Amino acid sequence: MRPVRRDGSATSFTTITASAGLALLLAACSPFQSPQRVDPGQSGAQPSPSSSKPPEPQRVPAARQWHEGDFQYGLQTYVHRVGSGPADRNTAEILDYVIGLGANSIAFSFPIYTDGVRPTKVYAGKETPSPQELERMVTEAKKRGLRVMVRPLIDEANLKTTPGGWRGSIHPPDVAGWFGSYQKALKPFLAASARGKADEFVLATELSSLQNQRTKWRTVDTHAARLFPGTLSFTFNWDAMDEKKARLGDELGLDLYFAVHLGDSASVEQLTNALEDVLAAKPKSLRANMVVQEVGIAAQSGMYRHPWFWGDEARGPIKPKIQANWFTAACRAVKHADLDGLYYWMVDGNSDPSAIDPAKQPPAGFVGRPAEASIKACFSED
């Protein structure tokens, strides 16, 4: 749930649905809307060609590679088409960047679409990567020793035109028909993820209004398991997790956008304590199977109270320390609460990180800013 565009084993689908009033409030300032479209031609100067032999691609050192039970140190990549080029054109550069930060995991999030807040179908749209492109990205990441998560997101470009509309507020008139279409839309991407040997496929993200459709989700889960042998998970929005109904033993995702009522001068310790209090309130048995799949914030004043808002130029200058401190605090809180991992949001798939001008990034961008050092420090800690 984002108010401006982003620059966001079997599993449990038993979370309570947010009330209509709360859904309208959250959608009005939702941090999970569609990412900003990036023109790759404006991301900065490209490195000049060289006649020398290209450097070897970076790989995760064997000692740092993820194994079952290890903490997932991850980054989210938002993969989408812009123009006529392939969606995976910057895969090598992004993987180099992610591994250079010390990550052992990567998530490929990508848009799929539904036809409004009273939807009848789910489908691949103009920005959806092809299954073949997704398979190539997964394969390359696995070759380099990364754990790979695949994460479809229902795009909100057409949903936010309705007041209060976001992916967590949709209500299909024909629930069975919508779920059948959703299942069909996921099928080629589940198969591509299996061929590429991805570790995890997220069956749904932030679909709060549909989380009580437990029978329908079990059907989706059963069909997905026939195509994908890895972990199948479900991601809860930060405000809509029902711990009492979540089945223990399932893999759960959480997008971490809890408001913290502290000012810009708050210390890392204060921010850590505030986030840890929220996470520690979840049952320990549930936290043991939970991964924070999104941590992000705009580097602007007042964002601790509105971490879901991706900022804009009208809100004033970039304040890198706000973002850097939030990233450090989130890392510490997640570890103190004994969760299984966290993923920072995000690197845009249409940008080469080595060519990004830090000064020209949107407020939520972190490449080349102090928050990048916060990520490195997080990933280097045991």
Side-chain angles (χ1 to χ4, degrees):
M1 313 175 320
R2 295 183 163 71
V4 277
R5 292 181 178 179
R6 279 180 165 135
D7 256 289
S9 62
T11 192
S12 168
F13 309 106
T14 55
T15 294
I16 57 173
T17 302
S19 68
L22 180 59
L24 287 174
L25 174 63
L26 293 176
C29 55
S30 163
F32 305 111
Q33 290 182 7
S34 308
Q36 264 188 340
R37 279 39 174 165
V38 176
D39 180 351
Q42 297 178 355
S43 60
Q46 297 294 324
S48 58
S50 172
S51 59
S52 60
K53 183 179 179 181
E56 287 293 319
Q58 293 208 50
R59 291 178 172 80
V60 181
R64 290 284 296 169
Q65 291 181 14
W66 180 87
H67 297 92
E68 193 70 38
D70 290 346
F71 193 88
Q72 296 170 37
Y73 294 97
L75 261 77
Q76 287 276 354
T77 300
Y78 186 73
V79 182
H80 58 122
R81 288 182 177 277
V82 172
S84 58
D88 60 336
R89 56 188 151 197
N90 293 306
T91 298
E93 293 81 4
I94 289 172
L95 293 177
D96 281 345
Y97 176 74
V98 169
I99 294 171
L101 290 179
N104 64 9
S105 304
I106 189 171
F108 295 115
S109 290
F110 63 93
I112 55 176
Y113 298 80
T114 196
D115 55 329
V117 294
R118 299 281 291 170
T120 61
K121 61 182 178 180
V122 182
Y123 54 95
K126 64 179 181 179
E127 293 194 33
T128 307
S130 70
Q132 293 76 21
E133 289 167 334
L134 178 64
E135 180 182 348
R136 289 197 296 265
M137 289 184 284
V138 172
T139 299
E140 288 304 310
K142 291 300 296 181
K143 283 182 181 178
R144 295 182 183 222
L146 286 163
R147 182 191 192 275
V148 177
M149 174 193 297
V150 176
R151 190 172 182 257
L153 290 169
I154 290 184
D155 189 89
E156 295 180 327
N158 64 321
L159 302 180
K160 64 188 182 68
T161 59
T162 299
W166 65 290
R167 68 178 66 91
S169 69
I170 59 176
H171 287 282
D174 177 4
V175 174
W178 186 90
F179 268 90
S181 179
Y182 186 77
Q183 185 174 297
K184 183 178 179 180
L186 293 186
K187 184 176 179 178
F189 299 103
L190 284 159
S193 300
R195 291 192 299 269
K197 302 189 185 303
D199 299 274
E200 179 177 356
F201 193 99
V202 183
L203 289 175
T205 298
E206 301 162 10
L207 298 181
S208 303
S209 59
L210 297 174
Q211 288 172 182
N212 63 344
Q213 296 290 338
R214 291 183 286 279
T215 301
K216 300 293 189 298
W217 285 120
R218 279 195 292 269
T219 300
V220 172
D221 180 86
T222 299
H223 283 265
R226 295 171 184 166
L227 295 168
F228 183 74
T231 297
L232 295 171
S233 64
F234 185 99
T235 302
F236 294 98
N237 191 32
W238 62 272
D239 68 311
M241 177 172 285
D242 184 356
E243 303 93 339
K244 294 180 180 179
K245 295 181 180 179
R247 290 181 298 158
L248 302 182
D250 292 340
E251 190 76 17
L252 305 174
L254 176 69
D255 286 348
L256 186 66
Y257 294 100
F258 296 97
V260 172
H261 297 286
L262 294 170
D264 294 352
S265 62
S267 67
V268 169
E269 183 178 7
Q270 289 174 311
L271 294 169
T272 301
N273 290 340
L275 289 174
E276 187 177 352
D277 285 346
V278 175
L279 293 174
K282 312 296 182 186
K284 188 173 182 179
S285 54
L286 192 64
R287 287 185 270 127
N289 301 293
M290 185 186 298
V291 171
V292 167
Q293 292 184 5
E294 285 192 28
V295 172
I297 198 168
Q300 288 185 305
S301 179
M303 289 298 102
Y304 297 147
R305 293 183 174 89
H306 310 283
W308 54 78
F309 181 69
W310 287 117
D312 56 49
E313 293 181 1
R315 294 189 67 89
I318 297 298
K319 295 189 174 182
K321 189 176 180 180
I322 288 175
Q323 187 182 54
N325 286 355
W326 184 261
F327 278 18
T328 298
C331 176
R332 294 179 182 177
V334 167
K335 290 180 179 179
H336 293 172
D338 294 323
L339 272 63
D340 272 357
L342 85 165
Y343 291 73
Y344 288 98
W345 182 268
M346 56 83 180
V347 178
D348 193 284
N350 281 283
S351 299
D352 174 356
S354 68
I356 289 175
D357 182 347
K360 295 181 180 179
Q361 289 183 98
F366 56 76
V367 177
R369 290 180 177 163
E372 188 177 73
S374 298
I375 295 174
K376 286 185 178 181
C378 175
F379 289 176
S380 68
E381 297 172 355
D382 290 332

